[in-house]
Amino acid sequence: MKRKILSVLAVFIAVIITATALTACNKTPAGADSGGSGESLSESRENGGESESSAENEQRTALFKELNEEYLPLYGILINDGEWNSPEEIGVAGFYIWYAEYIIANTTVEERFEKYSGNSESGCWAFPAEEFEGFVQRYFNVSTDFLRSGDIYSAKNGWYDIGGADRWLSDYSFSVVSPDDISISGSTATAKLTCVSNLDSSMIYMYLSLDISESPYKFVGCKLE
């Protein structure tokens, strides 16, 4: 009788052990989700990093196109000023020359004489104050008081004028060669400019910084390498 009871117990224990083993095999491994994707936390972080990197590359590529097509041609003659850390360092006369180049490039001789030849004595272009100041302040953080502090501003006539030649030669032709030459930190973008001399074809590099927090972008500084 005892042997029979022991035999039954042995069978019962064997059944329990087998069931426990099967249950353990069917449990979901730690770290796996219910969908069975099996993606680890490190893989998820890597994918997030790739998305951020892709977004940054797209931003730099878009900015690369804007700079070469719009902002660098607009910066134009100011490349001659080389290094500056604030717009005031450019000077009011520098802004006048810059704006004159822009006007010459975008109007006919007849249009210029009709609109800007108010000061016939000096033979230079007389730019209405509001027009000139509005354009400069569109691309530079500079005050009206500063612009009007220069001796080329005529409060009596309400314009800016300067003596001198009709054209000024740009020392350099310049561009951003690659999106990789652009770095972005917060609202500031810095572009490495490859500058080739129009006089002897020598080459230098400058770093032009812009505030890209709103459109149009503003020029905030330029440094030599």
Side-chain angles (χ1 to χ4, degrees), residues 96-97 121-125 161-168:
Y96 177 95
I97 294 171
E121 292 182 3
S122 69
C124 65
W125 307 122
D161 67 76
I162 190 173
D166 187 54
R167 298 297 303 248
W168 290 267

Side-chain angles (χ1 to χ4, degrees), residues 100-177:
E101 283 294 303
Y102 174 82
I103 291 298
I104 290 169
N106 290 277
T107 62
T108 64
V109 174
E110 291 76 18
E111 288 172 335
R112 292 195 292 278
F113 272 102
E114 180 181 352
K115 190 172 182 180
Y116 301 119
S117 60
N119 188 353
S120 58
E121 292 182 3
S122 69
C124 65
W125 307 122
F127 299 128
E130 290 187 5
E131 174 184 320
F132 173 76
E133 293 161 1
F135 190 84
V136 173
Q137 291 169 339
R138 182 176 173 84
Y139 298 102
F140 293 88
N141 283 319
V142 63
S143 70
T144 300
D145 287 342
F146 170 77
L147 293 174
R148 294 189 178 187
S149 68
D151 57 9
I152 68 171
Y153 170 67
S154 171
K156 175 184 176 181
N157 297 310
W159 64 43
Y160 290 80
D161 67 76
I162 190 173
D166 187 54
R167 298 297 303 248
W168 290 267
L169 175 66
S170 178
D171 289 346
Y172 295 97
S173 297
F174 58 103
S175 65
V176 181
V177 176

